[in-house]
Amino acid sequence: MKVFNYLGSLLLGCCLVPVYYFCNNYPQFSIQSVLHVIFAFVGIFLLLSLITKSLLKNNDHVIFLMYGTSIVFWFLLPISCYLRHNIIFFRNLNVREYRYTLVFLGSLISVLIICFFIKYLKKFIVKINHILSVFVFLLTGLFCIQIIQNISVFDKNASTKTNNTVLYPNVYHILLDGHPNLKGMEIIGGNLDPFYQKLESIGFITFPKSKSNYPATAWTVASMLNMDYLNIGTDLPVEFYWKLSRNNKVFDELSKYYSISVKISSDHLRSMYPANRIVVTDDNQCTSWLLTYTILNNTPLQPILGMIFHKKFLQVHKKCIDNTLKFLANAKSQYGASNHFFYSHFLCPNGPSIYSKIKQADALNSIFSKKDDSNLLDPIYHKIACENIHGIDTDIIKTIKDILSQYNDEKIKPIIILHSDHSILYRAFKFNSPYITDDTIYGNLLALYVPEEWKEDAKDLKFINLYRFILNHLFNENHEYFKENKQIRTKD
C-alpha cells in the first residue's frame, strides 16, 4: 500500500499538471515536450523525497508531506487567481498586490496544517494518503480518456475536407497585441506614418484613426469573432469571454468553405482559441520550455520567474514570433492558394520588449510579472514601447511582402487583415492621465488588403464591422453594419 501511495504522490507532484495542460491544449504541446517536463519534475521530486526521508524517517509521513507540498505548490496560486477573477469582493481590491498576499498567507497556513497533522494527528495520515492516492489515480485515468478523445476529434477535423466546388481567396488574419493607432503612437513619442505609407505602397487600405470597441484582449477578440457588441458585466469572469472566442460565429461561418489554422506566438493566449485549430510548432525544445514556464508561472514561483529566466524568456518569445511569421510566409506553399484561413495572434508589441535595445527594458520584461502599471506613463517605457512597435512592424511588412510575392501568378489574390486588440497604454486609464483618452487606449483596424472592387465599400470601415464586411463580400451575405462603435472601458 505504501508503494501505491508513493506512486500517487509522484503522479500528483510530477505528472498530473503537465498532463492536464497537454489534455486541455492538444495539439499545441507535443507528447515529447510533455515527457521532457515530466522527467524533469520526477528528478526534482525524487531528490526532495530522499531529503525528507532522511529527516522524517517515517515513509507515511514522507508521502503525506510530498502530497501537501504538491497541493500547495500546484494549486494555491490558481485558487487565488480564481478568487481574483470570479469573486466581486476580491476583484474590488488591489488585485495584483492582494493575489501575492493571499498566496503567502495560504502557504503559511498550509505549512502549519501539515506540521500539525504530522505532530498531533499521525493516525489520520495513512487514511489521508489512501484517499488522495485513489483520487489522483482516478483523475489521471480521466485525463487519459480525455486525451484520447481530443486526439480523435483533432484527427477528424484535420481530415475533414472543405467544400471546394467554389474557390475562395486565402485569408490571412494578423492580430498585433497592444499595437496603438496613429494617435496612440504619437502620445508615446513615436510616428506610424512610415508604417502606414509602406502598407499603402503595397496595396493596403489603412485606417490611422480606427478604434476598436473594447480596450482589452478578451473583450475585443470575443466581440470581433462574434461580429457583435458584448454585454460587459462586473459579475462575469474573463473566462466567459475566452469561451466566446473559442466558440465563435466567424470560425463557424468560415469552416463551411475554409480550413482554419490558428497560430499564436505565446502560450498565454492558448485559452482564447479552440485548441483543435491551433497549429503546432515543430520545435519541441521551444514548446518544452514554454510548457515548463507556463506551468511554473501558475505556482508561487511566479514573482521570481521573470528575474531568473528573463533572457531565456525573451529568446523563446522571439523564437515563437519568428515561427509564427515563418508559418504565415510559408502557408500558401504548405496549404494551397485558396480556401484556407490563417489566423495569427502575436503577443507583440505587448508583453516582453523583445525588440528594444534599451537596458531599462530588463525591468519591463513582461506584463505578466509587473505589479504596478504606473510605468506605462514613464518616458523610458514609452521609448522601449516605440522600439518594440517598430521592430514587429518591420518584421510584419517583410512577411506580408513575402506572402504577396507568392500570389503574383495567381488569379485569386489573398485577403490580409492587420489589426490590434488594444493600445500599448490600455492598462493606464485608471491613472486619469491626459495621455489616456478614447483615441489612445483602444485597439484599431490597422489595414486591409482586399480586391479592388471591395475597396470603395471598405472606406471608413469600423472595427466592429470587420467580419460583417468580409463575410458579406465573400459569400454574398447580408450582415447589417453597425453605425458606430460603443467603446466600453473595463477595469479588468
Side-chain angles (χ1 to χ4, degrees), residues 287-457:
T287 56
S288 297
W289 197 92
L290 267 180
L291 176 58
T292 305
Y293 187 89
T294 302
I295 291 173
L296 294 179
N297 207 44
N298 286 285
T299 70
L301 291 179
Q302 186 194 66
I304 62 173
L305 284 177
M307 294 183 289
I308 297 177
F309 298 110
H310 166 60
K311 290 185 179 179
K312 180 66 175 178
F313 180 59
L314 294 186
Q315 292 170 359
V316 172
H317 194 78
K318 180 62 166 65
K319 194 168 186 179
C320 289
I321 287 177
D322 290 341
N323 285 343
T324 307
L325 291 167
K326 184 179 178 182
F327 164 77
L328 292 174
N330 296 331
K332 176 182 178 291
S333 59
Q334 183 176 353
Y335 294 93
S338 62
N339 296 75
H340 290 279
F341 179 71
F342 308 114
Y343 184 105
S344 57
H345 186 151
F346 292 85
L347 190 62
C348 192
N350 203 354
S353 303
I354 62 171
Y355 290 94
S356 177
K357 305 300 180 185
I358 301 175
K359 187 176 181 180
Q360 286 90 336
D362 291 350
L364 305 168
N365 64 327
S366 173
I367 60 170
F368 303 107
S369 61
K370 291 297 293 179
K371 295 183 182 181
D372 184 2
D373 294 323
S374 61
N375 65 285
L376 294 170
L377 306 181
D378 191 324
I380 292 293
Y381 175 82
H382 292 174
K383 190 171 183 180
I384 291 169
C386 285
E387 289 188 358
N388 217 30
I389 292 164
H390 288 311
I392 189 64
D393 286 353
T394 299
D395 282 354
I396 287 293
I397 291 288
K398 181 181 181 301
T399 300
I400 287 173
K401 288 181 177 179
D402 290 342
I403 291 170
L404 292 176
S405 66
Q406 300 173 54
Y407 290 86
N408 288 336
D409 299 326
E410 299 287 348
K411 291 183 180 179
I412 302 177
K413 305 301 181 183
I415 296 167
I416 303 178
I417 302 163
L418 187 61
H419 74 95
S420 170
D421 52 350
H422 56 75
S423 167
I424 199 73
L425 297 173
Y426 79 113
R427 291 168 99 65
F429 67 80
K430 61 187 175 184
F431 294 108
N432 297 318
S433 166
Y435 290 141
I436 311 306
T437 69
D438 288 351
D439 292 319
T440 61
I441 67 169
Y442 288 89
N444 53 94
L445 179 61
L446 292 165
L448 285 178
Y449 186 91
V450 293
E452 284 294 327
E453 60 269 23
W454 295 19
K455 288 185 176 180
E456 184 62 32
D457 194 21

